[in-house]
Amino acid sequence: MKKIFKTCSRTLPMQHNNNLVAILKNVAELIFSNTHAYVELKDVLSKWKESLELHHKLDMNSPEYNENVYLEEGKAIATRWAALCIEDLIRTKRFVRAVRKAVDAVLHKQAGKPATIMYVGTGPFATLVLPLTQIFSPSELQLDLIEVNTESFKLLNSTIDSYGIRDFIRNCYCADATQFRVDNDDVDILLVECLQQALAREPQVKIVENLVPQLKGDLILIPEDITLSLALVNTKQQQSFMHNLDSEKVIEFYEIIDTVFSINKEVIQKNSIQFNSQTNLFDEEQLREYNRISIFTEMRLYEDEILTYNESGLTIPWDVNDFTSKAPVYGVTTNYVTGNDPKLDIKLIRTRETGPDQ
């Protein structure tokens, strides 16, 4: 794929839209409030997405907005699906809150100098930083934006001008972040949200592996840590858990066996990402108690902002296998692989004597 690299012009005319800005102000107020109701947040985020689509006169069923971009190191999702991420409520709220906390921390440390965010995978609307433009001034916050999908990139520029926030934008690139070479290493916060369930398909790992070493040592990476864990699940107990309305009643339905992959700034800086395979065997009691193998994802975004089990599309468990009497599973071998189809590769161990299934 031909690489495209552009720097946004600061001379483009700013289109100030009062309705868009009013909705964005409401979004920011609700995200940073500790008292709002879930339904209220759902309504305002849906209204925000709809207002952007109406403003840009978008037909998200058009073919150009439904084409994924296939890279050497994974897939960048189509514009339509990137826009839909707004409505992943808990994900949107916690990411935005995490970024604000990181900005506050940087401003506290370096008074008088703006916090600079490099945001990779902005999609068409840069939703994880846009609410911050209602909280901070350009003298407090500067943005380097990177998006590889050309249709999303066009809409990103239009969105910037529609909100009149060009003064917040230091640079804007249409580029593959897995190959991107950084011009300025003075970035304070690296925000990357190029991932799906269980770190599959999208190039989150390769992006941070490429960018973190190019940036300063005290960089804040968001998410700070992403962990994939091997879990055994009792599906009957899981159903009871899902339907439990008693806040004081604890229903245990899974057992975490082991961490099978994790990505964070420290392992990247030490060049110690574990791409080697590992094997976990199950004991007889576990085989009796549980009937499903799953991969759980937990994401520590920043400090106490965490996404855990089933709170977002990003942390929905990846159900690998249900045990059966005809084909028992005694363990698994796992190995995170990168390339054009990044994923956690899993092979099931079917007998005590032989190795994993091929």
Side-chain angles (χ1 to χ4, degrees):
M1 186 186 79
K2 184 178 179 181
K3 294 181 182 178
I4 302 171
F5 179 90
K6 299 179 182 178
T7 301
C8 294
S9 169
R10 292 178 181 272
T11 62
L12 292 174
M14 290 192 294
Q15 305 293 326
H16 188 77
N17 185 292
N18 289 331
N19 185 51
L20 280 178
V21 173
I23 292 172
L24 182 57
K25 285 183 181 294
N26 195 16
V27 168
E29 288 173 1
L30 283 177
I31 284 177
F32 299 124
S33 167
N34 294 319
T35 59
H36 73 270
Y38 177 90
V39 173
E40 190 177 9
L41 181 62
K42 180 179 184 298
D43 289 344
V44 77
L45 290 180
S46 294
K47 186 176 181 181
W48 184 24
K49 175 178 170 289
E50 290 168 5
S51 71
L52 284 162
E53 292 181 355
L54 286 171
H55 175 78
H56 293 302
K57 299 181 174 61
L58 298 179
D59 177 5
M60 283 300 185
N61 291 315
S62 297
E64 65 270 26
Y65 297 136
N66 285 270
E67 294 181 2
N68 297 318
V69 177
Y70 294 92
L71 311 168
E72 292 181 9
E73 296 290 350
K75 176 180 73 175
I77 60 173
T79 301
R80 177 183 183 181
W81 308 118
L84 279 172
C85 289
I86 292 179
E87 296 183 335
D88 190 339
L89 308 183
I90 305 302
R91 166 254 186 204
T92 299
K93 174 186 173 182
R94 294 201 181 142
F95 261 97
V96 175
R97 289 172 68 95
V99 178
R100 181 183 180 175
K101 289 179 179 180
V103 171
D104 285 336
V106 171
L107 292 176
H108 179 74
K109 183 175 67 173
Q110 57 185 39
K113 182 182 176 183
T116 301
I117 300 174
M118 178 175 283
Y119 178 12
V120 181
T122 64
F125 307 136
T127 53
L128 301 184
V129 297
L130 207 53
L132 301 184
T133 64
Q134 306 304 301
I135 305 297
F136 299 104
S137 68
S139 65
E140 296 172 311
L141 177 64
Q142 287 290 292
L143 303 171
D144 289 348
L145 307 178
I146 303 178
E147 171 56 50
V148 69
N149 185 310
T150 55
E151 294 301 327
S152 292
F153 186 73
K154 292 174 189 175
L155 289 170
L156 172 65
N157 275 279
S158 181
T159 298
I160 290 166
D161 290 325
S162 297
Y163 282 105
I165 57 170
R166 186 65 61 178
D167 287 346
F168 285 91
I169 312 302
R170 188 171 75 161
N171 294 293
C172 192
Y173 307 103
C174 188
D176 178 356
T178 67
Q179 309 295 325
F180 185 75
R181 305 314 300 171
V182 174
D183 290 328
N184 301 308
D185 65 358
D186 61 345
V187 171
D188 299 300
I189 301 163
L190 175 60
L191 168 61
V192 185
E193 203 276 63
C194 299
L195 68 155
Q196 296 182 38
Q197 171 195 33
L199 282 172
R201 294 174 287 278
E202 293 192 53
Q204 179 85 15
V205 172
K206 275 299 180 181
I207 289 171
V208 297
E209 191 179 17
N210 173 48
L211 294 178
V212 167
Q214 299 184 59
L215 301 171
K216 59 186 185 179
D218 62 350
L219 172 81
I220 295 173
L221 175 63
I222 300 177
E224 288 187 305
D225 183 88
I226 304 173
T227 298
L228 304 184
S229 298
L230 175 67
L232 294 179
V233 177
N234 180 313
T235 55
K236 183 176 180 180
Q237 290 294 98
Q238 185 181 33
Q239 287 298 314
S240 298
F241 170 84
M242 298 295 289
H243 295 98
N244 179 32
L245 300 178
D246 184 351
S247 60
E248 296 183 358
K249 184 179 180 181
V250 177
I251 299 176
E252 300 289 350
F253 66 91
Y254 67 89
E255 178 181 342
I256 298 294
I257 302 301
D258 199 2
T259 295
V260 292
F261 185 76
S262 63
I263 185 78
N264 55 59
K265 187 181 74 171
E266 288 70 27
V267 301
I268 295 169
Q269 290 177 331
K270 293 177 182 177
N271 195 28
S272 58
I273 302 176
Q274 295 298 316
F275 291 119
N276 297 327
S277 64
Q278 67 181 70
T279 296
N280 285 277
L281 300 175
F282 310 138
D283 61 36
E284 293 299 332
E285 183 178 349
Q286 290 168 333
L287 294 173
R288 287 193 301 270
E289 178 70 19
Y290 303 103
N291 65 314
R292 177 176 291 168
I293 302 169
S294 290
I295 301 299
F296 285 12
T297 304
E298 180 167 286
M299 303 170 61
R300 188 177 74 248
L301 306 180
Y302 182 69
E303 294 184 342
D304 60 344
E305 297 295 340
I306 297 170
L307 282 175
T308 187
Y309 172 82
N310 221 26
E311 289 187 314
S312 159
L314 303 177
T315 59
I316 294 173
W318 174 24
D319 294 330
V320 178
N321 177 265
D322 287 353
F323 301 163
T324 67
S325 57
K326 293 183 179 179
V329 177
Y330 295 103
V332 296
T333 296
T334 56
N335 180 29
Y336 191 83
V337 295
T338 56
N340 60 10
D341 185 24
K343 62 184 177 181
L344 186 70
D345 186 50
I346 298 179
K347 292 181 171 58
L348 305 177
I349 298 172
R350 294 289 191 181
T351 70
R352 293 297 191 191
E353 292 79 20
T354 60
D357 284 357
Q358 300 300 315

